Structure formats: C-alpha cells, structure tokens
C-alpha cells in the first residue's frame, strides 16, 4: 500500500476512534469547542482589533492570555509583506531566523537565546514549528511561503505542558484557513526584481450540508541574489511550490472533522557561500591558491561555488486530521499528524571558493507520526477551565553527510539510521480565585526513547570510519531512554478590564540523543537532555489617551536557569588530523532579557508599532576535554546565532478616497539587530555584523468600487549588504558567510471572489 495513502487511512481512523471514546465521557459544566483556527475579532471596549489565540489550547483574547505571545492575523500578514517565516522577525520581538548549515531551505530559529545549532535528525528543536497543530520535527521545508492563513502565533519561553513536543525556546503556530460553508476564494500575483513571480490562490467550495472543501496553493520563482562566476549561476534563488487541500465535515451540531493534506517541493541552486577570512598557519591559511582567491574577491558580492547543477531540493508531504466532539459538557479533541521529508543538499560548498577543498553534502529522509488526544471543559460554575490529554510521537529516518576536506586529507561519509519516540501525559487548569485573579497550574510527564545505528566509511583509507563498526561498517544499534517532568504555574490579575499583569514560572526540557558524526566509542555516547527553568513577569495594557488616541503596550521580562546545555564542539583531532564534531552537555548558563511591543493609534488612519527585545546568555560553566586529558575553559564564549538586541517598528497611514474609489495605505517599516556570533566556539571575525533594513509599501485597496487591491513595495530599500548566517571553524582557519537579500521591489495584485 502506498505510504501516503496508508497515512491518510490512519488519519481517518483516528476520527472513528474518537467517536467511540465519547461513550466514556462524563458530564461537566458547559464548554464550547475551540475554533479550527484563531480569528480577528472587534474589541469594542478598546477600539483595537484583537486576535483570538490558542496559546493555552483554547480560544482566548490575546490580551487576556498571561503568556508572552505575539499573533498576526492573515490580513496583517499580507499588509506587512510577510511572505515566509523569516519575515516574522520584523514584527515579533526576540524571534530571529538565520540560515542553517544546510542552506536556506533549513532555517535556524532562535527565541530567548535558545537555538538548535545543529539541524540533525538526532537533535530535537529548541523552537517548535507547528502547522495545524502538528509539529514539524525537522526544519527542512518550514520556510515554505505563507498563504491562505488565519493567523500565526509565536509563543516565547519554555513550552513544556500543552504542546506536543517539549521545547525550551518557544513555539511558532501556523494556523491555515479551514473549509467553511461559503463559496469564496482569491487569487494573488506578485512580480518584481530578480525575475520574481509569485502566484497564490484559494477556493472554498461547499459540497453538501455540513461538508466543504478548500484548496489553496502557491508557486514562487526568483533568480538568485548572489552570482557565482565559476559556475556562471545565481545562488540564493527561489523555485518552489506549496499546496494544501482541506475537507471539513460537520454531520451534526457539536461534531467536526477537518482533514488537511499539504505538500511542498523545492528545486533550487541553494545558498551562496562566500569565503570572508582565513587565518595564517592553519590548513586553509597555508593554501596559496585559497589566499589568492580571497584577495581577488575583494568586497564584491560573490559566491564561491563552481557546481552548475541545482543543489538544494526538498519534497515534503503532510497530513493533519483534527476531530472535535462537543458533548455539551466536555469536549473531546484528537489531532493526528503525519509528515514525510526528503531533502537533498548536494552542493554545500563550505569553503566558499571554486577550488573544491571543503564540501559536505547532506541528505535527509524522515517520516513522523503523532497523535494527541485532549479532553477539556469547565467546572465550579465556570471558575475552573481544565484540560487533560496524552501525546504520542514516532519518527524514523536516515541522514547522510559526506565530509570532504582536502586541506586535511579527509573524506568521510556517515549515515545515521534513527528512531525517535516520545510519549507524554499532561494536565492543566486555570482557576478564578476572584473575578479578577486567576491561578494556572499544569504539568506534563514525558518518556523519550532514541535509537541509532551508524554507517561510516573513510574513502582515504578504504576502512570503516568508526572504530566500533562491524565488518559492514554499520555499528550495532544503540538505544537510550530519557524521562522528565515539566510544568507551568502562573498568577494573573486583571487590574482593570483592559490591563493584565502576571507572574509565571516554568520548567522546560529538550530531549537528549546521539551524535550522528561519531568516529569512536567516546563520540557516540548519548548526550543528556537540556533543562530550562524560568521566571517571567509581564503586563498587557490598552490605554485611552483621549481625543480618540489609543495605545497598546505588552511587556515581558524573564530570567532563566539553563543546565546541561547541548553544545556542538568542532575541532581538529591531532591524533587523526580529522575534523571532529561532538555534541556534549558542556555548559550551564543564565539567560536574562525582556520583550516589548507597542501599538499607537494617535488619530484615525494612522498606526505606529514598535518592538524591542534583549536576550543575553552568560555561561557559568562551559568546558571541553582535550585529547591530552586537560580541560579547556570556554565560558568566555558567546552563544552562536543569537543577537543580544533586536527591534523594529512601522508607520502605516490609511486614507479613504472620495466616493467609491477605495482607500490608499502607505507604510514604512524597519528591522534592526546587533552582531551575531556564527559559532558556539567563537572565532575572531566570525560574526554577522549589526544591520538595519528599511522597507516601503503602498497599497490601493477596494479600488474603484471593487474588492480588488493592488500594492507596490520595496524591501531593503537602502540596499544594505548584510550576512544572515555562516560558519567559522578555528581549527581549519576559515570564516564563510551567507548574504541576506539585497534591495528588491515589485507589485502585487489581489482579486477576491465570492464570500
């Protein structure tokens, strides 16, 4: 049976299992089912349009949730030119996205100095990305374009109770639109510089009473930003397609089932790697041809690749099936998920030159199954909101990396065959001590299991690369189990109906695992889970400034105790002269910081927003065991891929034209971040320098009495050259960086219909 078909049948079966389980439900106080996705509501009390969020697994006003969460509606995503997940950095405080080591198709997400440095199948993410409540366990393909969405929510801080996988940094919840009983849809086209064309659209079709279908898709093509003279190709290009098909079924009041199939395909040249520095006396610095090439490049925006074939491909297929059954007192909800990823990064030219001295292609083949079952309701005359549930996750796959480093005479291939499982049970409740004062407490217990067998071969020696491999170069399967409690407790006080203050304490956890690049018994030993405990204080307030002026301020400050930190240590082993990468629990640290969001409407038609975030990690202990048996103190290093300061803002003015001509909206926004280390083991010069980007947008909405809208935009208007990622390896003596997008411009046209 076809694997995708089998997954679809399992999804449908989960709906039947849920219906059978309803016979065991007991009566409780009235509780309505959470909607399929957050939506925008009109808050007459404050004058602001509020988004209903599901940060606590039930629908609540954003301003009433005692959690640091930012939410952007689908309409706001379009007006702010947010097309992909990395664009959220402009509007969400403290959320940063950088290019991962495997290229732009494998983003690296950071919240509150929590970052998954290595995007390997044996490491869990620090920031979880969910689509329709289903975890995307691997970052591959999560940069798919945003289209036809209800909203996007970004939760900051440890997520250890209510979401499927434990994460120490936070979670990004992408909520697609679901089928409705209205015939409607839209088409949108964008064209612009670098031969850009983006076409997207959706159509919603009622099929019968209680049955509806929604189909949406997006196609994006763009020439690359960065030219590689040796290959005569442009890298940092875009060539991908995304689609989504949803079927909603409501056979009777209180019961609904939505099955959503989605896919993503990309076939691109990949990231443009640029060598920026080498160090004398190192393997790279001792090569005259490399030194000469670096001098010839100067300050030009150039990629070093020489391969002429496309080197970054991904195929992703997923299923999300959500069944909700409101029994009139208790609500049952089941979320089944399936995802399959095949990713090929064949031209990871880590030397950033056309000389072929350091290549490290990577292939990933992964599939996952998950199921979450929830029961929630209210009690004690609606003073208590409660939820209990259980979660299961299973992931299998293999990941292959070939590391060819000619400056050290190294050519190794390693494949890890992996199975990861996670089981957990959780409970949480919010009790109103008084109408204004509420106490929330919740806990989860998680059982994780990791297994790994590894194939490794050394093309230089013709021998197995691992000293513990069997004759076929495959190590015996190893397994390890972890278990841990996580919890949350918070107290929130509604000082007035539009002002909330809260105090929260949480414990988060990220599972341990194995090092897929191990060469010996010491390196293949499992590493332990990370643990984060925090204290967070926050305030959410809406202010009436008089004369129709309105102000919204949301502020959160936190302090974290971070222990058993998983760190990737890369060095040249003097015994073998091989570049060795180990993942170890090398550190403990404290993290402190704050995030602030502001929205001001001084007069009708004018909106001013601003964000500011600060996060600083200070190592208390960071040690490395050297080959001679001594311990090296590394605590002076600064964490990689986590800028200490980020901030942004926008000014938007909307003016209604005479008659039925429509309205004009003009917007300018900016984003800025401080310097960012490119490696956990800091290298002099191995940083992405601070930068500020400015964007402009001009819209004509409801033009000439129609619902059609048109817009023109300029991004990075002042053409600021900046780097968004890279690698810095002191043992090899090189620094290699990835460019951010230059100035781009374009026009877009959106045509809605029906509704």
């Amino acid at each position: 049976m076809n694997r995708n078909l089998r997954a679809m049948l399992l999804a449908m079966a989960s709906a039947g299992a849920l219906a059978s389980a309803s016979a065991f439900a007991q009566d409780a106080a009235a509780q309505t089912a959470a909607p399929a996705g957050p939506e925008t509501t009109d808050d007459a009390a404050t004058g602001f349009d509020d988004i209903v969020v599901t940060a606590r697994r039930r629908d609540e006003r954003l301003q009433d949730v005692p959690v640091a969460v930012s939410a952007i509606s689908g309409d706001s995503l379009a007006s702010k030119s947010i097309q992909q997940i990395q664009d959220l950095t402009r509007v969400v405080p403290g959320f940063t996205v950088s290019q991962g080591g495997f290229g732009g198709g494998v983003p690296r997400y950071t919240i509150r100095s929590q970052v998954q440095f290595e995007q390997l199948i044996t490491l869990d993410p620090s920031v979880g990305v969910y689509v329709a409540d289903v975890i995307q366990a691997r970052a591959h393909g999560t940069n798919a374009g945003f289209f036809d969405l209800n909203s996007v929510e970004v939760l900051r801080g440890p997520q250890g109770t209510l979401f499927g996988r434990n994460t120490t940094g936070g979670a990004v919840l992408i909520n697609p639109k679901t089928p409705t009983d209205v015939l409607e849809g839209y088409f949108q086209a964008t064209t612009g510089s670098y031969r850009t064309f983006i076409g997207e659209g959706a159509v919603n079709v009622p099929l019968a009473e209680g049955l509806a279908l929604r189909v949406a898709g997006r196609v994006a093509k763009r020439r690359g930003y960065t030219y590689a003279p040796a290959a005569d190709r442009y890298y940092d290009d875009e060539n991908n397609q995304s689609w989504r098909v949803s079927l909603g079924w409501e056979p009777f009041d209180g019961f609904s089932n939505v099955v959503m199939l989605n896919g993503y395909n990309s076939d691109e040249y990949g990231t443009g790697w640029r060598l920026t520095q080498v160090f004398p006396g190192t393997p790279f610095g001792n090569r005259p041809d490399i030194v000469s090439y670096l001098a010839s490049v100067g300050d030009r925006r150039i990629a070093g690749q020489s391969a002429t074939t496309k080197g970054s491909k991904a195929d992703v297929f997923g299923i999300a099936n959500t069944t909700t059954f409101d029994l009139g007192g208790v609500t049952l909800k089941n979320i089944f998920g399936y995802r399959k990823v095949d990713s090929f990064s064949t031209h990871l030219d880590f030397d950033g030159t056309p000389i072929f001295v350091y290549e490290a292609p990577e292939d990933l083949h992964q599939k996952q199954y998950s199921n979450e079952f929830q029961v929630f309701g209210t009690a004690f005359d609606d003073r208590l909101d409660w939820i209990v549930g259980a979660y299961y996750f299973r992931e299998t796959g293999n990941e292959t990396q070939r590391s060819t480093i000619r400056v050290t005479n190294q050519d190794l291939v390693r494949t890890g065959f992996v199975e990861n499982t996670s089981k957990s049970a959780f409970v949480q409740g919010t009790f109103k001590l008084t109408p204004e004062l509420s106490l929330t407490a919740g806990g989860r217990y998680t059982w994780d299991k990791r297994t790994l067998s590894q194939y490794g071969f050394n093309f230089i020696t013709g021998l197995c690369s691992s000293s513990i491999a069997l004759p076929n170069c495959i190590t015996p399967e190893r397994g390890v189990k972890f278990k841990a409690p996580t919890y949350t407790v918070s107290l929130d006080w509604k000082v007035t109906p539009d002002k909330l203050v809260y105090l929260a304490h949480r414990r988060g956890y990220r599972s341990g695992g194995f090092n897929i690049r191990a060469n010996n018994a010491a390196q293949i030993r499992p590493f332990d889970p990370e643990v984060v405990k925090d204290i967070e204080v926050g305030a959410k307030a809406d202010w009436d400034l008089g004369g129709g002026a309105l102000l919204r301020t949301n502020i959160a400050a936190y302090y974290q105790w971070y222990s058993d930190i998983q760190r990737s240590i890369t060095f040249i082993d003097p015994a073998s002269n091989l570049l060795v990468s180990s993942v170890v629990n090398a550190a403990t640290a404290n993290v402190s910081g704050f995030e602030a969001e502001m929205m001001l409407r001084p007069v009708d038609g004018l909106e001013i927003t601003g964000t500011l975030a600060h996060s600083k990690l200070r190592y208390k202990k960071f040690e490395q065991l050297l080959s001679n048996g001594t311990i090296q103190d590394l605590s002076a290093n600064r964490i990689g891929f986590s800028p200490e300061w980020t901030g942004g803002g926008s000014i938007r003015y909307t003016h209604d034209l005479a008659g039925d001509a429509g309205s004009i909206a003009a917007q300018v926004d900016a984003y800025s971040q401080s310097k960012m280390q490119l490696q956990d083991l800091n290298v002099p010069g191995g940083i992405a320098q601070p930068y500020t980007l400015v964007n402009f947008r001009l819209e004509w909405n409801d033009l000439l009495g129609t619902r059609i809208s048109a817009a023109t935009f300029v991004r990075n208007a002042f053409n600021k050259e900046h780097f968004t990622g890279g690698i810095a390896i002191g043992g090899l003596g090189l620094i290699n960086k990835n460019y951010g997008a230059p100035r781009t411009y374009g026009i877009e046209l959106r045509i809605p219909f029906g509704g």
Side-chain angles (χ1 to χ4, degrees):
M1 183 184 296
N2 180 273
R3 293 180 179 178
N4 292 346
L5 178 59
R6 184 169 64 235
M8 290 172 62
L9 293 175
L10 285 171
M12 295 298 187
S14 71
L18 176 59
S20 299
S22 66
F24 297 95
Q26 298 179 351
D27 290 338
Q31 167 68 33
T32 58
E39 57 188 22
T40 301
T41 62
D42 182 17
D43 187 346
T46 66
F48 286 104
D49 292 334
D50 276 318
I51 298 177
V52 175
V53 298
T54 55
R56 296 197 294 180
R57 291 300 203 190
R58 60 181 67 240
D59 53 317
E60 300 175 282
R61 284 181 64 249
L62 173 66
Q63 293 300 99
D64 291 338
V65 180
V67 173
V69 55
S70 298
I72 306 97
S73 69
D75 291 340
S76 293
L77 291 172
S79 67
K80 296 179 184 296
S81 295
I82 298 174
Q83 298 182 342
Q84 294 177 304
I85 195 168
Q86 50 262 47
D87 295 330
L88 291 174
T89 59
R90 294 190 277 114
V91 296
V92 176
F95 176 63
T96 59
V97 181
S98 53
Q99 292 196 37
F102 302 140
V106 191
R108 179 186 284 115
Y109 306 112
T110 304
I111 297 178
R112 295 187 175 181
S113 296
Q114 305 290 323
V115 57
Q116 179 187 357
F117 186 82
E118 294 270 26
Q119 292 116 319
L120 302 175
I121 194 172
T122 51
L123 282 79
D124 280 353
S126 302
V127 177
V129 177
Y130 294 79
V131 176
D133 288 332
V134 174
I135 184 72
Q136 315 292 285
R138 300 301 135 206
H140 304 67
T142 56
N143 64 325
F146 284 170
F147 63 98
D148 200 38
L149 299 181
N150 268 325
S151 71
V152 178
E153 303 173 44
V154 180
L155 283 63
R156 300 184 291 274
Q159 305 299 314
T161 53
L162 291 184
F163 286 89
R165 300 302 305 278
N166 289 280
T167 53
T168 54
V172 180
L173 313 182
I174 301 172
N175 304 300
K177 289 189 175 180
T178 52
T180 67
D181 60 359
V182 177
L183 178 63
E184 54 94 17
Y186 74 95
F187 172 75
Q188 179 173 307
T190 303
T191 186
S193 55
Y194 295 90
R195 302 175 186 172
T196 294
F197 173 77
I198 302 174
E200 69 172 77
V203 59
N204 188 95
V205 181
L207 301 176
E209 184 69 26
L211 187 67
L213 176 71
R214 191 175 188 94
V215 180
R218 180 181 187 269
V219 176
K221 295 181 180 294
R222 175 182 45 76
R223 197 195 74 185
Y225 297 136
T226 310
Y227 183 62
D232 192 24
R233 292 288 185 273
Y234 287 89
Y235 286 77
D236 300 318
D237 61 324
E238 190 172 6
N239 180 30
N240 57 68
Q241 304 84 40
S242 309
W243 58 269
R244 192 182 304 127
V245 177
S246 305
L247 184 66
W249 182 43
E250 295 185 12
F252 52 86
D253 289 344
F255 182 89
S256 68
N257 177 262
V258 177
V259 60
M260 181 180 297
L261 282 64
N262 62 84
Y264 171 78
N265 169 268
S266 66
D267 188 4
E268 300 163 345
Y269 284 101
T271 299
W273 294 90
R274 160 70 191 276
L275 182 68
T276 62
Q277 190 173 346
V278 297
F279 299 100
T282 63
F284 265 72
N286 290 337
R287 286 280 300 259
D289 53 349
I290 295 176
V291 175
S292 175
Y293 169 79
L294 179 60
S296 70
V297 170
D299 293 329
R300 290 178 294 162
R301 181 181 181 122
I302 281 180
Q305 285 95 325
S306 58
T308 59
T309 57
K310 293 185 176 181
S312 179
K313 300 181 180 181
D315 288 290
V316 181
F317 174 77
I319 299 175
N321 185 74
T322 302
T323 307
T324 306
F325 199 174
D326 182 0
L327 302 176
V330 168
T331 297
L332 310 182
K333 188 173 185 179
N334 195 82
I335 305 167
F336 171 84
Y338 169 79
R339 190 174 191 245
K340 183 177 185 292
V341 177
D342 293 295
S343 175
F344 309 89
S345 299
T346 57
H347 300 317
L348 290 176
D349 195 352
F350 281 166
D351 56 76
T353 77
I355 304 174
F356 287 110
V357 287
Y358 184 10
E359 295 84 42
E362 183 261 358
D363 289 351
L364 172 74
H365 304 277
Q366 176 258 10
K367 61 181 178 181
Q368 66 179 63
Y369 298 86
S370 63
N371 199 81
E372 180 171 348
F373 182 67
Q374 306 171 4
V375 184
F376 54 95
T378 62
F380 304 110
D381 296 326
D382 294 341
R383 293 181 65 187
L384 174 66
D385 291 330
W386 58 268
I387 181 173
V388 298
Y391 182 81
Y392 176 79
F393 172 88
R394 180 175 181 266
E395 175 184 35
T396 59
N398 61 82
E399 185 169 11
T400 300
Q401 289 186 307
R402 182 172 180 176
S403 180
T404 304
I405 310 176
R406 290 174 174 82
V407 294
T408 58
N409 199 33
Q410 173 175 327
D411 194 354
L412 302 174
V413 64
R414 306 180 189 90
T415 299
F417 303 91
V418 171
E419 180 176 351
N420 301 325
T421 60
S422 183
K423 305 174 184 177
S424 58
F426 59 91
V427 59
Q428 183 162 309
T430 298
F431 186 75
K432 292 184 179 179
L433 302 172
T434 71
E436 296 80 22
L437 187 66
S438 298
L439 174 68
T440 297
R444 175 187 288 258
Y445 205 91
T446 300
W447 298 265
D448 287 324
K449 182 179 180 181
R450 303 286 186 263
T451 63
L452 170 71
S453 61
Q454 181 201 50
Y455 168 81
F457 186 76
N458 189 323
F459 289 94
I460 301 296
T461 65
L463 302 174
C464 300
S465 64
S466 175
S467 61
I468 58 173
L470 298 176
N472 59 1
C473 292
I474 298 179
T475 64
E477 184 176 272
R478 290 169 168 257
V480 63
K481 296 181 179 180
F482 308 103
K483 57 183 179 180
T486 52
Y487 58 79
T488 183
V489 59
S490 67
L491 191 66
D492 63 272
W493 176 31
K494 271 282 190 179
V495 182
T496 68
D498 53 8
K499 294 178 178 59
L500 172 77
V501 295
Y502 66 90
L503 172 67
H505 170 53
R506 292 167 293 196
R507 185 183 196 268
Y509 150 90
R510 183 159 74 112
S511 179
F514 290 99
N515 178 18
I516 205 171
R517 301 194 187 104
N519 292 323
N520 54 49
Q523 294 169 11
I524 207 171
R525 282 199 301 263
F527 50 88
D528 292 329
E530 295 180 337
V531 174
V532 173
K533 297 180 181 179
D534 80 340
I535 290 180
E536 177 180 310
V537 294
K540 299 183 177 184
D542 291 335
W543 310 84
D544 185 346
L545 304 181
L550 301 171
L551 173 66
R552 169 168 289 175
T553 56
N554 291 349
I555 302 172
Y558 60 89
Y559 192 87
Q560 297 179 344
W561 294 265
Y562 192 10
S563 59
D564 288 324
I565 303 174
Q566 300 164 10
R567 282 292 172 261
S568 178
I569 306 238
T570 302
F571 59 96
I572 298 291
D573 181 13
S576 63
N577 201 38
L578 297 177
L579 183 70
V580 175
S581 294
S582 295
V583 182
V584 295
N585 298 99
T588 59
N590 293 330
V591 185
S592 59
F594 69 87
E595 298 122 3
E597 297 177 272
M598 178 274 292
M599 179 187 296
L600 173 65
R601 292 181 178 173
V603 295
D604 287 343
L606 179 62
E607 181 176 279
I608 302 170
T609 67
T611 67
L612 181 64
H614 176 66
S615 182
K616 186 167 186 177
L617 183 147
R618 300 176 180 85
Y619 287 113
K620 297 176 60 180
K621 176 185 176 183
F622 186 4
E623 296 179 341
Q624 176 184 5
L625 179 63
L626 301 179
S627 57
N628 60 10
T630 61
I631 295 177
Q632 182 181 13
D633 182 8
L634 302 173
S635 59
N637 284 269
R638 292 293 173 259
I639 186 173
F641 296 96
S642 180
E644 288 188 14
W645 290 95
T646 59
S650 68
I651 301 175
R652 181 180 177 86
Y653 181 70
T654 303
H655 176 69
D656 292 331
L657 301 175
D660 59 358
S663 64
I664 295 292
Q667 178 173 299
V668 56
D669 64 78
Y671 169 76
S672 182
Q673 72 175 46
S674 61
K675 69 179 182 180
M676 180 177 72
Q677 294 287 342
L678 299 178
Q679 188 81 11
D680 276 346
L681 296 182
N682 303 164
V683 175
I687 60 174
Q689 293 289 350
Y691 63 86
T692 298
L693 307 179
V694 179
N695 311 301
F696 297 102
R697 182 180 176 89
L698 181 64
E699 302 172 8
W700 186 2
N701 297 308
D702 300 327
L703 58 91
L704 302 177
T706 70
R707 295 167 57 198
I708 297 173
S709 63
T712 182
F713 59 85
V714 181
R715 301 190 185 102
N716 190 4
F718 300 110
N719 204 26
K720 173 67 176 178
E721 186 172 280
H722 60 291
F723 294 104
T724 61
I727 59 173
I729 304 178
L732 291 178
L734 86 157
I735 299 174
N736 205 341
K737 298 180 183 180
N738 315 130
Y739 286 102
R743 177 172 52 230
T744 60
Y745 53 86
I747 58 175
E748 66 183 37
L749 180 71
R750 184 181 180 91
I751 305 174
F753 57 87

